[in-house]
Amino acid sequence: MLAGALIGAEAWLIGFLGVVTGVLIVLVMLKPAMATSVAAGVLTTYFAFHLNAGAIIVYQASGEVLRIIPYITWFFPLVVFHQFTNFGFYKRPISILVALSPLPTAAYVLAHLANASDLGALDAMGTFVFSYLVFALCFGFFTRHRDEAVQRAAMAEEAARSAAALRQSEERFRLVSLATNDLIWDADLKSARIWWNKSLRDAFGYDISGSSTDLTTWQSWIHPDERDRVLKSLQRVVKSGGSNWSDEYRFVRADGTILNVVSRGLVLSDESGEPVRVLGSTTDVTELRALEKKLRQSQKMEAIGQLTGGIAHDFNNLLTIIMGSAEALAHIHANNPAAHELAQNTMHAAERGASLTGRLLSFARLQALTPETLHPGQLLEGFEGLIRRTIDGDIEIGFNVAPDVLPIEVDQGQLENAVLNLVINARDAMPEGGRLTIEASNRTLTADDLPPNEGMQAGQYVMIAVSDNGCGMSRDVMDRAFEPFFTNKEAGKGSGLGLSMVWGFVRQSQGQAVIYSEPGEGTTVKLYFPAAKDKTLQAKSPSVVDAVVGGSESILVAEDNDLVRDHVVAQLVGLGYEVKAAASAAEALAFIDAGWTFDLLFTDVVMPGGMSGKQLADAAWLRQPGLKVLFTSGYTEDAIVHQGRLEPGVNLLGKPYRRADLVAKVRHVLDGGA
């Protein structure tokens, strides 16, 4: 073209070729995916028309067959280009077009031969057309079979990959089914057959062959009380077109044991959407549900303890006033028998109320204990006489105390009370006689033996157990036995506070109380106490009753309850003391900041206004070092008690208290007792 040999229509045709080819190359660079789809097909089609047009134009201009050779020779590479590059874009019709593409040129040349007798030109065109058709057919045959071979190889490779993936998936599924403790199953809804993993035998005791592969057999293992509900829940998911099923129910093991299980299934459907399989797992949650039940029971007992503690605190304030007023009335009406008797009856009723609140506080673990190191065997031996007098003569008693039993550190009075409560319960469970056994022995408890969330430490414990062969308890009764006011006795036969007091005392002593019982077989209550770190037994000093006398010292009374405050002030003033009264900690500190000097601070532990009695005492000591303090409370607070024990140097007068207790304790603290 640059030399001027190509002009006219041929030059324009070749230039257009460059434009078309360039545009397609740019498109392929921007979108490479077009190289084997649109671009290859379009370029092949264009070349077929271009070569024909170029050859016809050249032959028309020159009339020489030799001149068209540069065009017609490109028909052969065009076949190769098309077969190797076009993988889908109208490949079949384009293949036909390519195979027949030289015919327009050949027809035109033969129709316009300058000399019809020019056999050379005729032979050349015939040879070219024949050679081209043979080449196109052979190359097409080759590429077709090549594509089929490539496709077969690809399909074989894909099949091998799929088989390997299937083997890996099946192996992974097999290993997962072996590694898990869950029961894995695959139910075929069409054949009503089911496949199980080995957990069916290992965890549930059933043979995985034979009738166990029948879907109806699985249904028979569901507890009869829940069978209809479980089957309906599964059918509901399957029929509704759902994909996920889950249910919790009771499952009967091969040995008859009842387990709590959770089953989860995935419903699989065929191409038409009809459910055909359910693949799932079954998990044994018996132990988990038991732990959850224990945790709920523990939380419930804790909540009840907080409630009863608050009630006992307010009730003790009222009992303090009642007892004090009854004592005052009895003293005033000493010469009036009728009035004196009424006052005494009021006093006795208040004392019974105080005993009731004491039991509530024991359950709530809010009693101030006075632990001492003692030997369980010696305590039970000394207690034997009272126990024999408590039970009926037709009940046989047995004591079994291990000779090497370790000392324990507990409140002796509370422990005696607890054992006596258990003995009375055992007696009531054997109305027609039986055998009562009391034993004490050492136990080493590991972390696995301890109940969760109870704060107990692994180590050496002493077990004190009371057993009977009476009527026993059902599971429901046993689960609630430690709850306050719960009893299965007849009306009027018990308050329902005996076992709750035992439970609270043992827990406050860093131990644990456990009940074992079967209906008709009897009951055993085991009390676990930590073995004392200090094995030295403490000798009891004889108690000394202080003389009920008053004094002239100055006392600051801090009490938020108006009635209790007025009662205490009246009692102390009547004994000769100089008394100032405050309704809050801030008001009490105001007296001290105003220059008043006191010999004793008598304060309630629970105080309003954001400052407790302990905080008041600390602030008062900073202002008046050496000030003596006597606390009072309807129940113990962590402020002055640590693990059920009063902190060293702390004096406490528990509510409710009698006048003699108040007078003696005040005098004791003023005289230096601490």
Side-chain angles (χ1 to χ4, degrees), residues 85-127:
T85 59
N86 192 356
F87 288 98
F89 183 73
Y90 297 103
K91 184 171 184 178
R92 185 173 182 81
I94 294 178
S95 296
I96 297 174
L97 173 67
V98 171
L100 302 177
S101 59
L103 294 183
T105 299
Y108 184 85
V109 171
L110 293 176
H112 295 81
L113 283 175
N115 186 358
S117 60
D118 189 353
L119 296 179
L122 182 63
D123 179 64
M125 291 307 302
T127 303

Side-chain angles (χ1 to χ4, degrees), residues 541-547:
S541 58
S543 59
V544 178
V545 180
D546 295 335

Side-chain angles (χ1 to χ4, degrees), residues 192-194 211-221 227:
R193 310 295 292 177
I194 188 169
S211 62
S212 64
T213 59
D214 192 339
L215 194 56
T216 57
T217 305
W218 163 72
Q219 299 173 9
S220 68
W221 297 337
R227 187 173 300 147

